[in-house]
Protein backbone atom coordinates (compact mmCIF):
# COMPACT_ATOMS: atom_id res chain seq x y z
CA UNK A 1 0.00 0.00 0.00
CA UNK A 2 1.37 3.40 -0.87
CA UNK A 3 2.46 5.50 2.07
CA UNK A 4 -0.05 8.33 1.48
CA UNK A 5 -2.93 5.87 1.58
CA UNK A 6 -1.61 4.40 4.76
CA UNK A 7 -1.01 7.77 6.36
CA UNK A 8 -4.40 9.09 5.41
CA UNK A 9 -6.65 6.16 6.10
CA UNK A 10 -4.99 3.51 8.20
CA UNK A 11 -2.62 5.20 10.58
CA UNK A 12 -5.29 6.36 13.01
CA UNK A 13 -7.20 3.08 13.09
CA UNK A 14 -7.12 0.39 15.70
CA UNK A 15 -8.35 -3.14 16.11
CA UNK A 16 -11.29 -3.16 18.49
CA UNK A 17 -12.61 -6.70 18.49
CA UNK A 18 -12.06 -9.98 16.78
CA UNK A 19 -14.43 -12.88 17.21
CA UNK A 20 -12.86 -15.39 14.84
CA UNK A 21 -14.96 -14.17 11.94
CA UNK A 22 -15.22 -10.44 12.08
CA UNK A 23 -12.50 -7.95 12.80
CA UNK A 24 -13.93 -4.65 13.95
CA UNK A 25 -11.64 -1.76 13.16
CA UNK A 26 -12.03 1.58 14.91
CA UNK A 27 -11.63 4.73 12.86
CA UNK A 28 -11.30 8.32 14.01
CA UNK A 29 -14.32 9.63 12.16
CA UNK A 30 -17.22 8.67 9.94
CA UNK A 31 -15.43 10.00 6.89
CA UNK A 32 -12.52 7.61 7.39
CA UNK A 33 -14.93 4.75 8.06
CA UNK A 34 -16.75 5.44 4.81
CA UNK A 35 -13.58 5.68 2.80
CA UNK A 36 -12.15 2.51 4.31
CA UNK A 37 -15.37 0.62 3.79
CA UNK A 38 -15.67 1.71 0.20
CA UNK A 39 -12.08 1.57 -0.86
CA UNK A 40 -9.91 -0.55 1.33
CA UNK A 41 -12.16 -3.13 2.97
CA UNK A 42 -11.19 -5.83 0.47
CA UNK A 43 -7.49 -5.09 0.70
CA UNK A 44 -7.59 -5.10 4.48
CA UNK A 45 -9.56 -8.30 4.77
CA UNK A 46 -7.21 -10.00 2.35
CA UNK A 47 -4.24 -8.94 4.44
CA UNK A 48 -5.93 -10.07 7.65
CA UNK A 49 -6.96 -13.36 6.09
CA UNK A 50 -3.36 -14.08 5.17
CA UNK A 51 -2.38 -13.61 8.81
CA UNK A 52 -5.34 -15.39 10.34
CA UNK A 53 -5.28 -18.21 7.80
CA UNK A 54 -9.06 -18.14 7.50
CA UNK A 55 -11.79 -15.96 6.01
CA UNK A 56 -12.23 -12.73 7.93
CA UNK A 57 -14.84 -10.03 7.46
CA UNK A 58 -13.81 -6.52 8.39
CA UNK A 59 -16.17 -3.90 9.73
CA UNK A 60 -15.49 -0.32 10.66
CA UNK A 61 -16.71 1.55 13.65
CA UNK A 62 -16.21 5.16 14.58
CA UNK A 63 -14.45 5.41 17.93
CA UNK A 64 -14.69 9.14 18.42
CA UNK A 65 -17.45 11.47 17.47
CA UNK A 66 -16.38 13.61 14.52
CA UNK A 67 -18.93 16.31 15.20
CA UNK A 68 -17.96 16.74 18.78
CA UNK A 69 -14.39 15.96 19.79
CA UNK A 70 -15.20 16.25 23.48
CA UNK A 71 -17.56 13.30 23.37
CA UNK A 72 -15.81 10.25 24.77
CA UNK A 73 -15.01 7.44 22.41
CA UNK A 74 -17.69 4.78 22.12
CA UNK A 75 -15.07 2.13 22.06
CA UNK A 76 -15.11 -0.88 24.32
CA UNK A 77 -13.09 -0.48 27.46
CA UNK A 78 -10.95 -3.49 26.69
CA UNK A 79 -10.05 -4.80 23.31
CA UNK A 80 -11.09 -8.42 22.93
CA UNK A 81 -8.05 -8.96 20.80
CA UNK A 82 -5.75 -7.91 23.57
CA UNK A 83 -7.69 -9.64 26.26
CA UNK A 84 -7.68 -12.89 24.37
CA UNK A 85 -4.12 -12.95 23.26
CA UNK A 86 -2.54 -11.54 26.39
CA UNK A 87 -1.77 -13.44 29.50
CA UNK A 88 -4.97 -13.81 31.51
CA UNK A 89 -3.31 -13.29 34.86
CA UNK A 90 -1.91 -9.95 33.75
CA UNK A 91 -5.35 -8.47 33.42
CA UNK A 92 -5.89 -5.82 36.04
CA UNK A 93 -8.37 -6.27 38.87
CA UNK A 94 -10.48 -3.54 37.41
CA UNK A 95 -10.77 -5.32 34.12
CA UNK A 96 -11.52 -8.58 35.84
CA UNK A 97 -14.28 -6.94 37.83
CA UNK A 98 -15.86 -5.51 34.73
CA UNK A 99 -15.43 -8.76 32.91
CA UNK A 100 -18.98 -8.56 31.66
CA UNK A 101 -19.87 -5.23 30.42
CA UNK A 102 -22.35 -2.97 28.92
CA UNK A 103 -20.86 -0.92 26.12
CA UNK A 104 -20.88 2.83 26.56
CA UNK A 105 -23.66 4.68 24.81
CA UNK A 106 -22.94 7.42 22.33
CA UNK A 107 -24.63 10.46 23.88
CA UNK A 108 -25.33 11.78 20.38
CA UNK A 109 -27.67 8.89 19.62
CA UNK A 110 -30.85 10.33 21.08
CA UNK A 111 -34.46 10.50 19.94
CA UNK A 112 -33.99 14.26 19.60
CA UNK A 113 -31.33 13.83 16.98
CA UNK A 114 -33.21 11.16 15.09
CA UNK A 115 -35.06 12.61 12.11
CA UNK A 116 -38.43 10.98 11.56
CA UNK A 117 -39.90 10.36 8.12
CA UNK A 118 -42.18 7.83 6.46
CA UNK A 119 -39.33 5.33 6.16
CA UNK A 120 -38.67 5.08 9.87
CA UNK A 121 -41.70 6.47 11.71
CA UNK A 122 -42.96 3.09 12.86
CA UNK A 123 -39.57 2.07 14.16
CA UNK A 124 -39.23 5.44 15.86
CA UNK A 125 -42.68 5.20 17.43
CA UNK A 126 -42.04 1.67 18.65
CA UNK A 127 -38.68 2.65 20.11
CA UNK A 128 -39.99 5.71 21.95
CA UNK A 129 -42.88 3.69 23.29
CA UNK A 130 -40.60 0.88 24.47
CA UNK A 131 -38.38 3.46 26.14
CA UNK A 132 -41.37 5.11 27.82
CA UNK A 133 -42.85 1.89 29.13
CA UNK A 134 -40.09 -0.68 29.17
CA UNK A 135 -41.20 -4.26 29.45
CA UNK A 136 -44.88 -3.38 29.13
CA UNK A 137 -45.90 -2.81 25.56
CA UNK A 138 -43.54 -4.17 22.97
CA UNK A 139 -41.48 -6.93 24.42
CA UNK A 140 -39.27 -7.93 22.77
CA UNK A 141 -38.88 -5.23 20.19
CA UNK A 142 -37.02 -6.35 17.10
CA UNK A 143 -35.80 -3.65 14.71
CA UNK A 144 -34.30 -4.64 11.42
CA UNK A 145 -32.87 -2.76 8.46
CA UNK A 146 -29.99 -2.66 6.04
CA UNK A 147 -26.74 -0.99 7.01
CA UNK A 148 -26.57 2.63 7.96
CA UNK A 149 -30.30 3.17 8.35
CA UNK A 150 -30.37 4.01 12.04
CA UNK A 151 -30.70 0.73 13.96
CA UNK A 152 -27.86 1.47 16.32
CA UNK A 153 -29.00 5.06 16.68
CA UNK A 154 -32.51 4.06 17.73
CA UNK A 155 -31.29 1.28 19.98
CA UNK A 156 -28.94 3.61 21.79
CA UNK A 157 -31.62 6.30 21.93
CA UNK A 158 -33.69 3.83 23.95
CA UNK A 159 -30.63 3.22 26.09
CA UNK A 160 -29.93 6.91 26.64
CA UNK A 161 -33.55 7.52 27.54
CA UNK A 162 -33.67 4.67 30.06
CA UNK A 163 -30.34 5.70 31.49
CA UNK A 164 -31.52 9.26 32.01
CA UNK A 165 -34.32 7.84 34.12
CA UNK A 166 -31.81 5.97 36.25
CA UNK A 167 -32.61 2.52 34.94
CA UNK A 168 -29.98 -0.17 34.79
CA UNK A 169 -29.59 -1.26 31.24
CA UNK A 170 -27.15 -3.45 29.41
CA UNK A 171 -26.26 -2.44 25.90
CA UNK A 172 -24.11 -4.89 23.96
CA UNK A 173 -23.13 -5.65 20.44
CA UNK A 174 -23.71 -9.28 19.67
CA UNK A 175 -19.95 -9.66 19.47
CA UNK A 176 -19.59 -8.38 23.00
CA UNK A 177 -22.32 -10.73 24.16
CA UNK A 178 -20.55 -13.61 22.44
CA UNK A 179 -17.23 -12.77 24.03
CA UNK A 180 -18.76 -12.37 27.49
CA UNK A 181 -20.56 -15.64 27.23
CA UNK A 182 -17.75 -17.71 25.78
CA UNK A 183 -15.31 -16.32 28.28
CA UNK A 184 -17.65 -17.10 31.16
CA UNK A 185 -17.67 -20.70 30.01
CA UNK A 186 -13.89 -20.79 29.70
CA UNK A 187 -13.35 -19.12 33.06
CA UNK A 188 -16.07 -21.10 34.83
CA UNK A 189 -17.97 -17.91 35.64
CA UNK A 190 -21.28 -18.67 33.98
CA UNK A 191 -23.08 -17.96 37.27
CA UNK A 192 -21.64 -14.45 37.38
CA UNK A 193 -22.57 -14.06 33.75
CA UNK A 194 -26.17 -14.96 34.49
CA UNK A 195 -26.29 -12.72 37.54
CA UNK A 196 -24.88 -9.82 35.57
CA UNK A 197 -27.39 -10.07 32.77
CA UNK A 198 -30.31 -10.98 34.99
CA UNK A 199 -29.70 -7.83 37.00
CA UNK A 200 -30.59 -5.54 34.14
CA UNK A 201 -33.84 -3.63 33.79
CA UNK A 202 -33.41 -3.75 30.04
CA UNK A 203 -31.20 -5.59 27.59
CA UNK A 204 -30.31 -4.00 24.27
CA UNK A 205 -28.51 -6.21 21.76
CA UNK A 206 -27.18 -4.71 18.55
CA UNK A 207 -26.63 -6.68 15.33
CA UNK A 208 -27.95 -10.04 16.48
CA UNK A 209 -27.16 -11.51 13.04
CA UNK A 210 -23.56 -12.01 14.10
CA UNK A 211 -24.45 -14.80 16.50
CA UNK A 212 -25.99 -16.85 13.70
CA UNK A 213 -24.12 -20.10 13.30
CA UNK A 214 -22.66 -19.91 16.80
CA UNK A 215 -24.46 -22.67 18.63
CA UNK A 216 -23.11 -22.01 22.12
CA UNK A 217 -23.74 -18.30 21.98
CA UNK A 218 -27.25 -18.78 20.67
CA UNK A 219 -27.88 -21.11 23.58
CA UNK A 220 -26.61 -18.42 25.94
CA UNK A 221 -28.69 -15.75 24.29
CA UNK A 222 -31.81 -17.88 24.34
CA UNK A 223 -31.61 -18.45 28.08
CA UNK A 224 -30.63 -14.89 28.87
CA UNK A 225 -33.52 -13.67 26.78
CA UNK A 226 -35.99 -15.98 28.47
CA UNK A 227 -34.93 -15.03 31.97
CA UNK A 228 -35.21 -11.32 31.31
CA UNK A 229 -38.39 -11.60 29.32
CA UNK A 230 -40.12 -13.69 31.95
CA UNK A 231 -39.04 -11.18 34.55
CA UNK A 232 -40.84 -8.48 32.57
CA UNK A 233 -37.61 -6.78 31.55
CA UNK A 234 -37.49 -5.00 28.24
CA UNK A 235 -35.45 -6.66 25.51
CA UNK A 236 -34.65 -4.79 22.30
CA UNK A 237 -32.74 -6.46 19.51
CA UNK A 238 -31.58 -5.19 16.14
CA UNK A 239 -30.69 -7.22 13.10
CA UNK A 240 -30.16 -6.88 9.40
CA UNK A 241 -33.14 -8.87 8.15
CA UNK A 242 -36.52 -10.31 9.13
CA UNK A 243 -36.08 -12.92 11.83
CA UNK A 244 -37.56 -15.65 9.63
CA UNK A 245 -35.07 -15.02 6.89
CA UNK A 246 -32.12 -14.88 9.24
CA UNK A 247 -29.77 -17.74 9.95
CA UNK A 248 -30.58 -17.62 13.64
CA UNK A 249 -31.85 -20.74 15.37
CA UNK A 250 -35.55 -21.35 14.91
CA UNK A 251 -36.29 -20.87 18.61
CA UNK A 252 -34.61 -17.45 18.60
CA UNK A 253 -36.45 -16.46 15.46
CA UNK A 254 -39.75 -17.25 17.06
CA UNK A 255 -38.85 -15.39 20.27
CA UNK A 256 -38.02 -12.30 18.23
CA UNK A 257 -41.24 -12.62 16.32
CA UNK A 258 -43.18 -13.02 19.54
CA UNK A 259 -43.01 -9.31 20.22
CA UNK A 260 -43.13 -6.35 17.89
CA UNK A 261 -41.12 -6.48 14.69
CA UNK A 262 -40.50 -3.26 12.78
CA UNK A 263 -38.25 -2.46 9.89
CA UNK A 264 -36.59 0.75 8.77
CA UNK A 265 -36.62 1.57 5.07
CA UNK A 266 -34.17 3.80 3.22
CA UNK A 267 -35.22 7.43 3.67
CA UNK A 268 -36.93 9.29 0.84
CA UNK A 269 -35.59 12.53 -0.55
CA UNK A 270 -37.35 14.80 1.96
CA UNK A 271 -36.16 12.76 4.90
CA UNK A 272 -32.63 12.67 3.53
CA UNK A 273 -32.66 16.45 3.28
CA UNK A 274 -34.03 16.78 6.81
CA UNK A 275 -31.35 14.40 8.12
CA UNK A 276 -28.65 16.42 6.40
CA UNK A 277 -29.99 19.63 7.93
CA UNK A 278 -29.84 18.04 11.33
CA UNK A 279 -26.25 16.88 10.78
CA UNK A 280 -25.17 20.29 9.55
CA UNK A 281 -26.66 21.82 12.67
CA UNK A 282 -24.80 19.38 14.89
CA UNK A 283 -21.54 19.90 13.00
CA UNK A 284 -21.99 23.66 13.34
CA UNK A 285 -21.04 24.38 9.77
CA UNK A 286 -22.76 26.51 7.16
CA UNK A 287 -23.76 24.84 3.93
CA UNK A 288 -25.99 26.43 1.30
CA UNK A 289 -29.25 24.63 0.61
CA UNK A 290 -28.33 23.77 -2.96
CA UNK A 291 -25.25 21.95 -1.69
CA UNK A 292 -27.43 19.87 0.61
CA UNK A 293 -29.54 19.09 -2.43
CA UNK A 294 -26.51 17.71 -4.22
CA UNK A 295 -25.92 15.31 -1.34
CA UNK A 296 -29.58 14.43 -0.82
CA UNK A 297 -30.11 13.59 -4.47
CA UNK A 298 -27.23 11.16 -4.67
CA UNK A 299 -28.29 7.62 -5.48
CA UNK A 300 -27.13 6.24 -2.14
CA UNK A 301 -29.97 5.57 0.24
CA UNK A 302 -27.95 4.85 3.29
CA UNK A 303 -27.76 7.51 6.01
CA UNK A 304 -24.22 6.64 6.96
CA UNK A 305 -23.15 7.34 3.39
CA UNK A 306 -25.05 10.61 3.42
CA UNK A 307 -23.08 11.59 6.48
CA UNK A 308 -19.90 10.44 4.81
CA UNK A 309 -20.61 12.65 1.81
CA UNK A 310 -21.29 15.59 4.04
CA UNK A 311 -18.09 15.05 5.99
CA UNK A 312 -16.21 14.72 2.77
CA UNK A 313 -17.47 18.02 1.44
CA UNK A 314 -16.67 19.79 4.68
CA UNK A 315 -13.20 18.23 4.80
CA UNK A 316 -12.58 19.10 1.18
CA UNK A 317 -13.65 22.69 1.69
CA UNK A 318 -11.49 23.02 4.78
CA UNK A 319 -8.52 21.54 2.95
CA UNK A 320 -8.78 23.75 -0.09
CA UNK A 321 -10.10 26.79 1.72
CA UNK A 322 -12.75 27.11 -0.97
CA UNK A 323 -16.26 28.31 -0.15
CA UNK A 324 -18.67 25.43 -0.39
CA UNK A 325 -20.48 25.80 -3.66
CA UNK A 326 -22.33 23.21 -5.69
CA UNK A 327 -19.26 22.82 -7.91
CA UNK A 328 -16.98 22.24 -4.95
CA UNK A 329 -19.45 19.72 -3.52
CA UNK A 330 -19.64 17.85 -6.82
CA UNK A 331 -15.91 17.80 -7.03
CA UNK A 332 -15.51 16.56 -3.49
CA UNK A 333 -18.00 13.78 -4.12
CA UNK A 334 -16.86 13.02 -7.63
CA UNK A 335 -14.98 9.86 -6.97
CA UNK A 336 -17.60 8.49 -4.64
CA UNK A 337 -20.17 8.64 -7.39
CA UNK A 338 -18.37 6.07 -9.47
CA UNK A 339 -15.77 3.55 -8.57
CA UNK A 340 -13.98 4.60 -11.71
CA UNK A 341 -12.83 8.16 -12.12
CA UNK A 342 -15.34 10.05 -14.24
CA UNK A 343 -12.94 12.50 -15.82
CA UNK A 344 -10.01 11.30 -17.89
CA UNK A 345 -6.71 11.19 -16.07
CA UNK A 346 -3.65 12.80 -17.49
CA UNK A 347 -1.29 10.11 -18.78
CA UNK A 348 1.50 11.25 -16.49
CA UNK A 349 -0.73 11.00 -13.39
CA UNK A 350 -1.47 7.38 -14.28
CA UNK A 351 2.13 6.54 -15.13
CA UNK A 352 3.37 8.15 -11.93
CA UNK A 353 0.84 6.32 -9.81
CA UNK A 354 1.80 3.00 -11.36
CA UNK A 355 5.55 3.52 -11.07
CA UNK A 356 5.25 4.61 -7.47
CA UNK A 357 3.21 1.54 -6.62
CA UNK A 358 5.72 -0.77 -8.30
CA UNK A 359 8.66 1.04 -6.74
CA UNK A 360 10.13 2.19 -10.01
CA UNK A 361 9.96 5.50 -11.87
CA UNK A 362 8.23 6.80 -14.94
CA UNK A 363 11.43 7.03 -17.00
CA UNK A 364 12.07 3.34 -16.45
CA UNK A 365 8.54 2.55 -17.57
CA UNK A 366 9.05 4.53 -20.73
CA UNK A 367 12.54 3.08 -21.27
CA UNK A 368 13.74 -0.21 -22.74
CA UNK A 369 14.17 -2.29 -19.58
CA UNK A 370 12.40 -5.64 -19.71
CA UNK A 371 12.85 -7.25 -16.33
CA UNK A 372 9.83 -9.13 -15.15
CA UNK A 373 8.83 -6.51 -12.62
CA UNK A 374 9.26 -3.57 -14.99
CA UNK A 375 7.35 -5.32 -17.77
CA UNK A 376 4.48 -6.06 -15.45
CA UNK A 377 4.39 -2.46 -14.24
CA UNK A 378 4.44 -1.28 -17.83
CA UNK A 379 1.57 -3.60 -18.74
CA UNK A 380 -0.43 -2.37 -15.79
CA UNK A 381 0.25 1.21 -16.84
CA UNK A 382 -1.02 0.45 -20.34
CA UNK A 383 -4.09 -1.22 -18.98
CA UNK A 384 -4.88 1.65 -16.63
CA UNK A 385 -4.16 4.28 -19.25
CA UNK A 386 -6.73 2.66 -21.48
CA UNK A 387 -9.17 2.52 -18.62
CA UNK A 388 -8.77 5.91 -17.05
CA UNK A 389 -7.57 8.22 -19.77
CA UNK A 390 -9.15 9.09 -23.08
CA UNK A 391 -6.16 7.77 -25.01
CA UNK A 392 -6.36 5.37 -27.93
CA UNK A 393 -4.00 2.41 -27.93
CA UNK A 394 -1.47 4.08 -30.30
CA UNK A 395 -1.51 7.12 -28.03
CA UNK A 396 -0.93 4.93 -24.98
CA UNK A 397 2.03 3.39 -26.79
CA UNK A 398 3.38 6.82 -27.44
CA UNK A 399 2.93 7.90 -23.82
CA UNK A 400 5.02 4.93 -22.75
CA UNK A 401 8.10 5.68 -24.79
CA UNK A 402 6.83 5.06 -28.33
CA UNK A 403 5.64 1.46 -28.11
CA UNK A 404 3.59 -0.24 -30.77
CA UNK A 405 -0.18 -0.23 -30.41
CA UNK A 406 -0.32 -4.01 -30.69
CA UNK A 407 1.89 -4.19 -27.61
CA UNK A 408 -0.66 -2.06 -25.81
CA UNK A 409 -3.54 -4.27 -26.87
CA UNK A 410 -1.61 -7.34 -25.80
CA UNK A 411 -0.83 -5.81 -22.40
CA UNK A 412 -4.43 -4.84 -21.90
CA UNK A 413 -5.64 -8.38 -22.55
CA UNK A 414 -2.89 -9.91 -20.46
CA UNK A 415 -3.68 -7.75 -17.43
CA UNK A 416 -7.39 -8.41 -17.80
CA UNK A 417 -6.65 -12.13 -17.61
CA UNK A 418 -4.23 -11.78 -14.72
CA UNK A 419 -6.78 -9.80 -12.72
CA UNK A 420 -9.08 -12.79 -12.86
CA UNK A 421 -6.55 -15.20 -11.47
CA UNK A 422 -4.15 -13.18 -9.36
CA UNK A 423 -5.62 -11.61 -6.24
CA UNK A 424 -2.32 -9.95 -5.41
CA UNK A 425 -2.28 -8.06 -8.68
CA UNK A 426 -5.95 -7.28 -8.34
CA UNK A 427 -5.30 -5.60 -5.05
CA UNK A 428 -2.29 -3.73 -6.43
CA UNK A 429 -4.42 -2.35 -9.23
CA UNK A 430 -7.24 -1.50 -6.87
CA UNK A 431 -4.79 0.48 -4.78
CA UNK A 432 -3.56 2.40 -7.79
CA UNK A 433 -7.14 3.20 -8.74
CA UNK A 434 -7.83 4.41 -5.22
CA UNK A 435 -4.76 6.54 -5.31
CA UNK A 436 -5.78 8.05 -8.62
CA UNK A 437 -9.31 8.63 -7.41
CA UNK A 438 -8.14 10.40 -4.27
CA UNK A 439 -6.00 12.88 -6.20
CA UNK A 440 -7.61 16.17 -7.02
CA UNK A 441 -8.44 16.34 -10.69
P1 LIG B 1 -27.20 1.00 11.44
O1 LIG B 1 -26.94 0.63 12.86
O2 LIG B 1 -28.57 0.68 10.97
O3 LIG B 1 -26.15 0.46 10.48
P2 LIG B 1 -26.68 3.64 12.43
O4 LIG B 1 -27.66 3.70 13.53
O5 LIG B 1 -25.25 3.42 12.84
O6 LIG B 1 -27.10 2.57 11.33
O7 LIG B 1 -26.81 4.97 11.57
C1 LIG B 1 -25.78 5.40 10.73
C2 LIG B 1 -25.62 6.89 10.88
O8 LIG B 1 -26.74 7.53 10.35
C3 LIG B 1 -25.52 7.31 12.34
O9 LIG B 1 -24.57 8.34 12.45
C4 LIG B 1 -26.90 7.80 12.66
O10 LIG B 1 -26.86 8.83 13.63
C5 LIG B 1 -27.37 8.32 11.33
N1 LIG B 1 -28.82 8.21 11.15
C6 LIG B 1 -29.50 7.15 10.68
N2 LIG B 1 -30.81 7.40 10.61
C7 LIG B 1 -30.97 8.66 11.07
C8 LIG B 1 -32.10 9.52 11.23
N3 LIG B 1 -33.33 9.14 10.92
N4 LIG B 1 -31.88 10.77 11.72
C9 LIG B 1 -30.64 11.17 12.03
N5 LIG B 1 -29.54 10.43 11.88
C10 LIG B 1 -29.69 9.18 11.40
MG1 LIG C 1 -25.44 -0.54 13.65
Amino acid sequence: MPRPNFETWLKGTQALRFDDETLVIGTENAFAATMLEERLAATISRAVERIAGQPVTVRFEVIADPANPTVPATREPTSELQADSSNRSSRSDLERESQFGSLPLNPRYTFDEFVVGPSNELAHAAATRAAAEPGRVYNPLYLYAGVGLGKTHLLQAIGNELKSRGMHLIYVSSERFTNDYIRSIQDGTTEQFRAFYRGADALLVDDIQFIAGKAQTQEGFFHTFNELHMGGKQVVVTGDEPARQSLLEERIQSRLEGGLVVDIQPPDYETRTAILREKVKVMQVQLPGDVLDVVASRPSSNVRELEGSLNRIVAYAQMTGAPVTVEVARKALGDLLNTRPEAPRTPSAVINAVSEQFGTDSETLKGPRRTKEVSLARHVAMYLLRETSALSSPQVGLALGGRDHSTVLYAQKKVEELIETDPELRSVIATIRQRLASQPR
Side-chain angles (χ1 to χ4, degrees):
M1 171 174 301
R3 177 175 289 275
N5 267 5
F6 175 80
E7 300 270 356
T8 314
W9 305 120
L10 285 180
K11 208 170 162 196
T13 63
Q14 46 183 298
L16 297 183
R17 304 186 288 281
F18 182 54
D19 68 355
D20 275 331
E21 285 168 9
T22 308
L23 175 66
V24 180
I25 298 173
T27 69
E28 287 171 322
N29 53 54
F31 184 31
T34 309
M35 293 302 285
L36 286 166
E37 211 153 75
E38 289 189 6
R39 301 183 173 282
L40 288 173
T43 312
I44 295 169
S45 65
R46 264 197 299 276
V48 177
E49 279 169 7
R50 270 198 293 273
I51 296 165
Q54 64 176 54
V56 175
T57 314
V58 296
R59 292 203 299 127
F60 301 95
E61 217 169 83
V62 180
I63 50 179
D65 188 336
N68 184 356
T70 61
V71 169
T74 58
R75 171 162 65 95
E76 287 182 53
T78 56
S79 150
E80 303 300 335
L81 251 188
Q82 280 166 6
D84 278 345
S85 60
S86 68
N87 186 349
R88 281 269 149 76
S89 62
S90 73
R91 263 194 273 153
S92 71
D93 286 349
L94 192 74
E95 275 175 284
R96 218 173 327 214
E97 253 172 51
S98 60
Q99 180 190 11
F100 309 118
S102 177
L103 297 175
L105 298 169
N106 184 337
R108 193 172 66 81
Y109 288 162
T110 59
F111 288 121
D112 276 351
E113 283 193 26
F114 191 83
V115 176
V116 184
S119 57
N120 59 29
E121 61 189 349
L122 280 184
H124 175 262
T128 45
R129 197 71 207 285
E133 297 176 68
R136 301 248 200 83
V137 272
Y138 307 133
N139 203 13
L141 172 60
Y142 178 57
L143 300 172
Y144 72 90
V147 291
L149 293 178
K151 299 182 293 290
T152 298
H153 190 139
L154 274 183
L155 188 65
Q156 293 202 19
I158 297 175
N160 276 314
E161 170 70 27
L162 294 177
K163 199 172 136 195
S164 75
R165 299 211 307 271
M167 296 186 72
H168 174 49
L169 64 105
I170 297 179
Y171 165 73
V172 284
S173 62
S174 68
E175 286 125 328
R176 163 46 69 111
F177 183 88
T178 303
N179 286 319
D180 276 5
Y181 185 65
I182 298 302
R183 192 173 303 155
S184 80
I185 293 174
Q186 285 167 354
D187 294 356
T189 55
T190 47
E191 263 321 303
Q192 285 93 320
F193 173 91
R194 279 187 59 205
F196 175 78
Y197 277 88
R198 207 173 32 207
D201 295 321
L203 172 66
L204 315 178
V205 181
D206 206 3
D207 287 325
I208 190 79
Q209 70 271 15
F210 294 121
I211 70 166
K214 296 176 184 161
Q216 262 184 324
T217 305
Q218 292 191 84
E219 174 84 15
F221 176 77
F222 183 71
H223 292 300
T224 306
F225 176 95
N226 286 344
E227 271 192 87
L228 285 164
H229 191 251
M230 279 184 321
K233 311 296 174 58
Q234 179 72 47
V235 181
V236 187
V237 177
T238 71
D240 68 347
E241 53 189 354
R244 279 288 161 214
Q245 284 167 33
S246 72
L247 298 169
L248 295 164
E249 281 175 4
E250 162 73 33
R251 56 182 176 165
I252 294 179
Q253 292 184 4
S254 66
R255 283 294 185 280
L256 294 177
E257 285 197 325
L260 181 70
V261 177
V262 202
D263 68 336
I264 307 174
Q265 291 296 323
D268 58 19
Y269 176 80
E270 278 72 31
T271 312
R272 290 210 296 272
T273 309
I275 291 174
L276 287 169
R277 286 193 197 291
E278 172 69 28
K279 301 291 169 195
V280 165
K281 208 173 79 196
V282 173
M283 287 167 83
Q284 297 186 323
V285 291
Q286 298 280 324
L287 287 189
D290 52 359
V291 168
L292 291 187
D293 271 354
V294 171
V295 182
S297 22
R298 303 188 69 220
S300 157
S301 49
N302 161 333
V303 180
R304 190 175 294 137
E305 281 174 23
L306 277 185
E307 284 184 345
S309 303
L310 197 60
N311 289 334
R312 194 181 162 90
I313 292 173
V314 172
Y316 188 89
Q318 276 164 358
M319 221 161 57
T320 59
V324 191
T325 58
V326 168
E327 288 70 49
V328 168
R330 288 235 166 83
K331 216 164 172 181
L333 298 180
D335 44 353
L336 289 181
L337 287 170
N338 302 299
T339 42
R340 287 182 183 191
E342 46 177 4
R345 295 287 162 186
T346 63
S348 57
V350 178
I351 295 172
N352 286 340
V354 173
S355 12
E356 223 168 294
Q357 177 72 22
F358 279 89
T360 168
D361 57 63
S362 52
E363 287 319 305
T364 310
L365 283 197
K366 293 175 190 168
R369 258 177 81 182
R370 280 170 171 278
T371 61
K372 217 173 147 200
E373 186 74 347
V374 170
S375 298
L376 179 63
R378 194 177 288 131
H379 286 166
V380 168
M382 291 175 172
Y383 168 81
L384 283 172
L385 277 169
R386 289 290 282 144
E387 182 191 47
T388 60
S389 73
L391 302 189
S392 64
S393 51
Q395 284 170 326
V396 168
L398 193 63
L400 281 166
R403 293 185 148 77
D404 194 75
H405 94 111
S406 61
T407 311
V408 176
L409 293 178
Y410 167 78
Q412 207 182 331
K413 193 156 157 277
K414 177 99 184 283
V415 173
E416 271 164 18
E417 282 167 6
L418 278 175
I419 283 178
E420 295 299 313
T421 54
D422 182 350
E424 201 73 52
L425 183 67
R426 195 154 59 223
S427 114
V428 164
I429 291 178
T431 309
I432 299 172
R433 282 205 193 100
Q434 281 154 20
R435 157 184 262 179
L436 281 168
S438 61
Q439 288 170 355
R441 264 165 249 271

